[in-house]
Amino acid sequence: MDWNDLKFFLAVARTGSLTRASASLRTSQSTVARRISELETSLRARLFERHQTGYLLTDEGQEILKRAEAVEEGMLAVERGAAALDANVSGTVRVATSENLACDLVIPALPAFMQRHPKLQLEIVTTTTTVELGRREADLALRVVRPTSGNLKVRGLGSMSYSVYASRAYLEHHPQTGSDPLAGRAVITWDEARSHLPAARWWAAKVAPEQVVLATSSLPTQIAAVCAGLGLAIVPDFLATAPQLVRVVPPEDVFSNGIWLVTHADLSASARVRAVSGFLAGIVAPRFS
């Protein structure tokens, strides 16, 4: 059996969809479907039930999933060990972080760093979900939630504070009428898929649902909406640089998150991973310590 066949199987099993599996594998849906069919033929077993809503594992598929994940962990351990043996700062390092940290801190500092390491290539994945370092979805991650499991090395880089902001024009048209600065004012928050995020939970506990006028999937869109005068939003203080923004609720009444640099322990000796780790710590820690 080809290990690559198992990678296709695992992608479909985890996503339940040819579309999402092909996106994660960077290939076509027809290729994924063909590899799954070939795997089922070689195993003489039906691994998935095909429905309009997606691919569901059969009982046989559930058994294969357990064994495939064990094989995957072994293969990834070999890959991590091989990467750690490379003493040269060259090759590819995949970094996962939030869009705001990538755009406002990491990318502006990249030219000088890449000039020092011309044989290095970076891949930056911006997402609000947690990537799996153990599955090599990334080599390094900047996170605002400290991981509590996995064979990981974790380094604290500081704390990011958040406040509630509005535009000066919005506050002029919607003056505070009582002791509660949120009462009667429109709110911009995260969409349902990201309702687990701290800002979304904070709003859910503080305001009525009818106050929400906009829910988005990214922080830049929320900041743009605040600057446009649509309402109030929770913004990291280091990003509240637009002259029209006014702090409505201070950080001590909102929340702060630690910032953590995370890497898989097996990769901590890799020269390229150490170089990128040092670079990230050097630009993030001074800003938030």
Side-chain angles (χ1 to χ4, degrees):
M1 183 187 300
D2 188 344
W3 158 235
N4 287 318
D5 288 338
L6 290 182
K7 288 199 290 188
F8 282 85
F9 167 75
L10 286 168
V12 176
R14 287 165 177 160
T15 64
S17 161
L18 289 181
T19 302
R20 290 191 291 271
S22 64
S24 68
L25 294 167
R26 302 179 185 180
T27 189
S28 66
Q29 294 183 45
S30 60
T31 298
V32 176
R34 176 175 56 81
R35 296 297 287 265
I36 293 298
S37 295
E38 290 174 354
L39 180 61
E40 289 180 323
T41 299
S42 69
L43 294 176
R44 299 180 182 178
R46 188 172 180 83
L47 305 179
F48 294 98
E49 294 290 346
R50 280 76 164 170
H51 297 280
Q52 287 185 341
T53 56
Y55 275 48
L56 302 177
L57 284 167
T58 62
D59 290 342
E60 292 87 349
Q62 293 284 0
E63 287 299 315
I64 295 297
L65 177 62
K66 297 175 186 176
R67 291 166 172 76
E69 287 181 331
V71 172
E72 177 190 44
E73 178 53 38
M75 293 298 296
L76 291 175
V78 171
E79 291 178 5
R80 291 192 298 266
L85 294 175
D86 189 353
N88 298 312
V89 182
S90 61
T92 301
V93 176
R94 190 171 173 87
V95 178
T97 187
S98 63
E99 188 172 3
N100 57 293
L101 287 174
C103 291
D104 291 87
L105 289 181
V106 178
I107 291 175
L110 272 182
F113 175 70
M114 299 304 286
Q115 192 172 17
R116 294 197 302 272
H117 303 292
K119 294 183 179 181
L120 186 68
Q121 182 182 48
L122 283 186
E123 294 182 1
I124 297 179
V125 183
T126 55
T127 177
T128 56
T129 60
T130 300
V131 300
E132 292 290 340
L133 299 188
R135 293 178 185 163
R136 295 300 300 275
E137 292 177 358
D139 301 309
L140 287 162
L142 281 173
R143 295 180 177 172
V144 294
V145 177
R146 179 170 186 157
T148 57
S149 61
N151 185 23
L152 305 173
K153 292 192 70 173
V154 182
R155 177 181 175 185
L157 299 180
S159 180
M160 185 189 303
S161 63
Y162 296 74
S163 300
V164 174
Y165 287 89
S167 72
R168 198 175 308 278
Y170 180 85
L171 295 177
E172 289 174 355
H173 287 90
H174 301 83
Q176 185 172 332
T177 57
S179 59
D180 183 1
L182 307 179
R185 288 173 166 171
V187 167
I188 302 152
T189 187
W190 292 91
D191 62 13
E192 185 64 29
R194 294 156 185 82
S195 60
H196 62 284
L197 296 176
R201 296 201 308 269
W202 193 90
W203 280 128
K206 296 290 184 180
V207 301
E210 56 267 23
Q211 288 180 250
V212 176
V213 297
L214 178 66
T216 81
S217 62
S218 74
L219 188 57
T221 55
Q222 294 182 28
I223 295 174
V226 175
C227 291
L230 192 60
L232 281 58
I234 294 174
V235 178
D237 289 307
F238 87 99
L239 290 179
T241 56
Q244 65 266 46
L245 290 183
V246 177
R247 180 180 283 157
V248 177
V249 181
E252 56 267 25
D253 295 328
V254 186
F255 58 85
S256 295
N257 282 327
I259 302 179
W260 309 95
L261 179 59
V262 186
T263 185
H264 198 283
D266 291 350
L267 290 175
S268 60
S270 165
R272 62 176 177 266
V273 171
R274 287 202 315 271
V276 177
S277 178
F279 161 69
L280 294 174
I283 61 173
V284 174
R287 194 70 176 267
F288 298 104
S289 58

